């Protein structure tokens, strides 16, 4: 059985995992992400400590050039400017090394080992801190001409609205942790100014402390104002997904993080919009499901990149 090593490079933490071709993880080492060179040195020493492997995979936020193995100044990794990470690790360890945008890597993980097993056309949406997508089309990962395929968070759904991906009213603005907090803040301000009580915020002085998690907790307690925040998120999610369904005709859309935790708060409004907006044949063949891999998706995503790199 082959041995693969996956490296998940995040803005605050990195993880190095060991696993097999079936996506089973046998070992995991975590450490803080520091400056570029220190972190690369730590990655190298960690991989060395794990012994020989057959391939290495790297999952990292973009922008990046997966074909040439270059990390290109991701906003969550200051100082990582045009880093030839694949060449560095390939020269050091002499095995195939792959690099993949984290959303794309997660898409492959859910396709191979999670909710999307057996599908031919699948879309994965991160739906966490931000909103990005990975596209599995005709049984293969589609990354586009310059690795920017799937940046659906940048689509503007409304002229006005919460800001995400540097654009007000964007898909990410409405459907992300930060976007939900912005929606909730605006709605709370309106409630408070009308002299009514808001379940998840007691005064205008506390608007900035509102979180998507706190609003969800109040919604699950039965508070209608908190439920309304997630219903609006679901409505805008439905609008965005309708566009993707009509253009790409997927058999499945897999939604991560917030949707997986709050499906019953979001899905009814989402489904209502899809039924109204989508071409009926395309909507009927598309299943919309929560991600299956849960908190381990980042680890399995990095491992999936290594598995894909093996034998190339």
């Amino acid at each position: 059985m082959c041995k693969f090593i996956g490296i998940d490079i995040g803005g605050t933490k990195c993880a190095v995992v060991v696993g097999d071709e079936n996506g089973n993880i046998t070992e995991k080492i975590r450490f803080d992400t520091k400056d570029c060179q220190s972190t690369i040195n730590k990655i190298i020493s960690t991989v060395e400590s794990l012994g020989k492997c057959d391939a290495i995979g790297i999952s990292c936020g973009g922008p990046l050039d997966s074909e040439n193995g270059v990390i290109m100044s991701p906003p969550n990794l200051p100082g990582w400017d045009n880093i030839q990470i694949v060449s560095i690790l390939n020269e050091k360890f002499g095995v195939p090394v792959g690099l993949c945008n984290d959303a794309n890597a997660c898409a492959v993980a859910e396709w191979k080992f999670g909710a999307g097993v057996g599908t031919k056309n699948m879309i994965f949406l991160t739906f966490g801190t931000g909103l990005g997508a990975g596209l599995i089309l005709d049984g293969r990962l589609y990354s586009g001409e310059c690795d920017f395929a799937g940046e659906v968070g940048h689509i503007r759904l409304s002229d006005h609205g919460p800001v995400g991906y540097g654009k007000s009213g964007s898909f990410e603005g409405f459907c992300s942790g930060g976007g939900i907090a912005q929606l909730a803040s605006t709605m709370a301000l309106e409630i408070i100014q009308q002299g009514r009580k808001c379940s998840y915020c007691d005064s205008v002085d506390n608007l900035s402390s509102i979180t998507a998690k706190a609003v969800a907790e109040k919604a699950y307690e039965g508070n209608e104002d908190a439920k309304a925040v997630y219903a609006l998120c679901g409505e805008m999610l439905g609008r965005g997904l309708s566009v993707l369904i009509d253009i790409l005709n997927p058999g499945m859309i897999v939604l991560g993080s917030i949707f997986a935790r709050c499906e019953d708060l979001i899905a009814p409004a989402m489904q209502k919009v899809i039924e109204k907006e989508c071409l009926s044949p395309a909507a009927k063949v598309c299943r919309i499901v929560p991600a299956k891999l849960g908190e381990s998706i980042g680890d399995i995503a990095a491992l999936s990149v290594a598995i894909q790199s093996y034998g190339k």
Side-chain angles (χ1 to χ4, degrees), residues 12 39 47 57 65 77 98 115 127 136 169 218 222 234 248 255 289 292 307:
T12 57
T39 303
V47 173
D65 180 346
L77 291 171
F127 205 156
I136 305 296
K218 291 298 182 181
L248 298 176
L255 299 168
V289 301
K292 188 176 180 181
I307 295 168

Side-chain angles (χ1 to χ4, degrees), residues 6 10 14 17-18 24 28 40 62 68 88 91 101 112 120 130 145 147 157 176 187 190 205 229 248 261 278 303 311:
C14 291
V17 299
V18 180
N24 299 310
K28 177 177 177 177
I40 291 174
N68 294 303
I88 291 169
E91 291 172 9
N101 174 289
K112 292 291 188 181
K120 183 181 179 182
E145 192 69 22
D147 261 354
L157 298 180
S176 64
M187 294 170 77
E190 184 176 33
D205 294 331
V229 175
L248 298 176
R261 294 192 294 268
C278 277
L303 193 67

Side-chain angles (χ1 to χ4, degrees), residues 8 14-15 31 34 91 96-97 103 113 118-119 123 148 172 180 187 222 246 289 299:
D8 183 12
C14 291
F31 49 87
K34 297 184 178 178
E91 291 172 9
V97 180
F113 307 113
T119 61
I123 301 171
F148 270 71
E172 181 172 288
I180 291 170
M187 294 170 77
D246 281 348
V289 301
D299 300 334

Side-chain angles (χ1 to χ4, degrees), residues 17-28:
V17 299
V18 180
D20 61 26
E21 59 263 40
N22 298 316
N24 299 310
I25 293 173
T26 57
E27 191 170 356
K28 177 177 177 177

Side-chain angles (χ1 to χ4, degrees), residues 124-127 237 241 253-257 259-260 270 288-291:
F124 171 80
L125 274 76
T126 54
F127 205 156
L237 176 64
L241 294 187
I253 295 176
V254 180
L255 299 168
S257 297
F259 185 85
M270 172 199 77
I288 300 174
V289 301

